[in-house]
Amino acid sequence: MAATMVSRAQRIRLCGVQFSNLNTTLGRRLSCSSKLLVETKEASSADPKDRAAEEPKLSEAEQKLIEEKEKLVAQVADYTDKYKRALAETENVRMRFTKQLGDAKLYAISGFCKDLLEVADILGKATSSVPQEAIDGPDANVHLKGLFEGLQMTETQLQKVFSKHNLTQINPVNNEPFDPNLHEALFELPVPDKEPGSVAVVSKVGYKLHERTLRPALVGVAKAP
């Protein structure tokens, strides 16, 4: 029993010695790590001139290579900028050409439409010049009535053709403000019941093809009495 107690005591002392040795070793290692950390911080916070002095100097060939690299990088940046500008300019030219091509397709028939407008004007004058009693009264002329109806049908069909090709009338209503893009003022006249600057009389209807005025409406503009 006594031998057993001695053996346990020896083992306890041996463990204590080993633990003490381990603490000593760890302490030394921690101390070395702290010194290394402090030295690293001091080196990093040292004067840049001192660090530059410690760094090895570049050879002449290496210096030339660095300068050549800087020149090439600047050239690449310059060429990249010019390339992007060229792409943007090409895209602008393409868009302008596409718009011009689209406008050419839309307004290619503008000259033909202008010639047909005269035909529409003649048909309108012909139908408006026939008195109503000459075709509806007791003394109505059957032949004149048939001719009148034929002219009306022709005029209606012509307006349908105009509408099919987006050729629409510009026929301002009463009190519509004068618009120089759509109307052409022939004269001014005092009209008490109309606002100054509004359309008072339409002498000749106008037409526009799509969104472009082909012929402005000829109008008289009201002025203050």
Side-chain angles (χ1 to χ4, degrees):
M1 184 69 178
T4 304
M5 292 294 293
V6 171
S7 178
R8 287 181 179 176
Q10 290 177 350
R11 287 199 297 268
I12 291 172
R13 284 197 298 272
L14 181 61
C15 290
V17 172
Q18 291 176 349
F19 183 74
S20 176
N21 293 335
L22 180 62
N23 284 337
T24 303
T25 303
L26 290 174
R28 290 176 180 175
R29 291 183 177 179
L30 289 173
S31 177
C32 292
S33 299
S34 300
K35 289 181 180 179
L36 181 61
L37 182 61
V38 170
E39 291 175 356
T40 304
K41 288 183 177 179
E42 291 177 353
S44 62
S45 60
D47 191 353
K49 295 182 179 179
D50 296 337
R51 292 202 305 269
E54 294 176 358
E55 294 178 355
K57 294 184 179 180
L58 298 176
S59 64
E60 185 177 353
E62 291 174 336
Q63 188 66 29
K64 288 182 178 180
L65 288 175
I66 292 175
E67 293 176 357
E68 186 67 22
K69 175 188 173 183
E70 292 176 352
K71 290 180 181 179
L72 291 175
V73 170
Q75 288 179 358
V76 169
D78 183 50
Y79 291 151
T80 302
D81 181 66
K82 290 180 179 179
Y83 174 70
K84 290 181 179 180
R85 290 176 182 273
L87 282 181
E89 182 63 24
T90 303
E91 182 63 18
N92 292 335
V93 171
R94 187 191 67 80
M95 293 178 64
R96 286 197 299 267
F97 177 75
T98 302
K99 186 179 183 303
Q100 290 174 358
L101 185 62
D103 291 344
K105 290 180 179 179
L106 287 176
Y107 303 108
I109 60 173
S110 59
F112 179 68
C113 290
K114 282 184 178 180
D115 294 336
L116 284 181
L117 296 184
E118 299 298 329
V119 178
D121 294 338
I122 293 172
L123 287 174
K125 289 179 180 179
T127 54
S128 61
S129 62
V130 178
Q132 192 66 28
E133 60 273 10
I135 55 176
D136 289 336
D139 298 330
N141 189 323
V142 178
H143 301 289
L144 180 60
K145 183 177 181 180
L147 179 61
F148 175 77
E149 291 176 351
L151 290 174
Q152 279 188 324
M153 293 175 61
T154 304
E155 186 180 14
T156 302
Q157 187 62 33
L158 183 61
Q159 291 298 327
K160 288 182 180 179
V161 173
F162 285 173
S163 179
K164 180 181 178 181
H165 294 279
N166 293 304
L167 180 64
T168 55
Q169 281 190 352
I170 303 175
N171 192 7
V173 297
N174 291 333
N175 289 329
E176 181 175 333
F178 176 78
D179 187 351
N181 297 316
L182 301 175
H183 313 141
E184 181 179 342
L186 297 179
F187 52 87
E188 287 185 327
L189 68 163
V191 182
D193 58 341
K194 295 185 181 298
E195 297 181 2
S198 62
V199 176
V201 179
V202 179
S203 300
K204 193 175 187 179
V205 297
Y207 285 87
K208 64 179 180 178
L209 181 61
H210 296 283
E211 298 301 323
R212 182 181 297 178
T213 301
L214 197 61
R215 187 182 74 185
L218 304 181
V219 300
V221 182
K223 67 177 181 179

